[in-house]
Amino acid sequence: MSDQEPVWRSLGATPCWTSESLREQLDGGQAFRWHLQPDDTWLGYWGNRIAQLKWSKTSNLHWQPTSPIDDAFELELRAYLALDSTETCGLSDDLPWLTDAHLRRCMEAFPSLRILRQPFGETLLGFLCSATKQIVQIKQMMALLAKRHGTPYAHTSLPNPSISQVLPKSHCHITYDNDSNTPEYKFFMLPTWGQLAEVSETELRACQLGFRARYIKGTADYIAEHPGWLEHTATLPYAEAKEALCTLPGVGEKIADCVALFGLGHQQAFPVDTWMIKAMQRRYGLEGWTPSQVAHFGRVHFGAHAGLAQQYLFAWERAHGGR
DNA sequence: TACCAGGTGGAGT
DNA sequence: ACTCCACATGGT
């Protein structure tokens, strides 16, 4: 299987996509489990899936599974990437770009940017790790948590063997067959909250979590003591889900909004981090506003899809640094 | 070397 | 209610 010619499957026409939009969607702070490979393909993990994505101007977006394909895989990928959402060429009618010149500029810079639909539990884990950390470091924490405390995927090879040569050792476990000396790779899912409850805080700290280890341990214990909490919270409307999330240790308004938006699909959530404070100062004149006030402004000004607007502003601000 | 990173919780006004 | 600060660690 490992020396088989890879077969790329088309995901169909995706208007106005760019490689920058795809990078921003996969690796711009929504998810922490997508890795750009030297051959310009993306390797990503979510739930019990691993997939590779490839974009080019001529052939648009293609993918290949890395586990045996089943009928549900492509549908799950399309749902995860929100390919069926209604944005066309970035100028979604859901957002007030007609009357907001800065928003329009951001949307034109990242056409077709979308909000991922990630599994709830792993979104919660990712953003519990996110406090005062850079995205590259959060990705490293996720990789370590998966490798040390997650469940290995059943298969041991990738369809594209060239990628295997350069995978960071922190992402996978490599063994060599005794006779042929061919490498075999093990890849790992993130630990579930049930699995995390069995891990000591000391072991968590060893995954470079720092003070966040206490929050993750506390959250794992809370969920273990409240069976069905995840499933129930996933059924709640935005305000109630956010309130429930904020009862967890280490989850305040910002992380609750990130989890509500990226993990529960609540499009009106408007997470406010340090970048968003800067953006709203510079671009909207909100000097001296508290994060809570900025979040309220965002939901009112941008409306039902405030979360998508927030992601455009976030992408723009990071791309333009101090300027 | 400082300063910053997709913050939160607790203590002291 | 608001301000200040500890909390760990690595990137720039």
Side-chain angles (χ1 to χ4, degrees), chain A residues 22-24 33 68 79 86-87 93 117 125 131-132 149 164 170 188 230 245 247 266 285 288:
Chain A
L22 183 62
R23 172 177 49 72
E24 201 57 37
R33 296 268 279 160
T86 55
E87 301 98 83
D93 288 340
R117 297 174 188 154
L125 179 58
T132 61
H149 305 294
S164 309
S170 57
F188 297 86
L230 285 168
L245 282 163
T247 65
H266 293 304

Side-chain angles (χ1 to χ4, degrees), chain A residues 21-53:
Chain A
S21 296
L22 183 62
R23 172 177 49 72
E24 201 57 37
Q25 184 178 4
L26 298 176
D27 198 20
Q30 298 189 52
F32 307 104
R33 296 268 279 160
W34 284 92
H35 305 278
L36 184 60
Q37 308 297 331
D39 65 353
D40 279 333
T41 65
W42 288 94
L43 175 65
Y45 314 74
W46 77 98
N48 64 349
R49 299 297 197 187
I50 314 179
Q52 283 178 262
L53 288 176

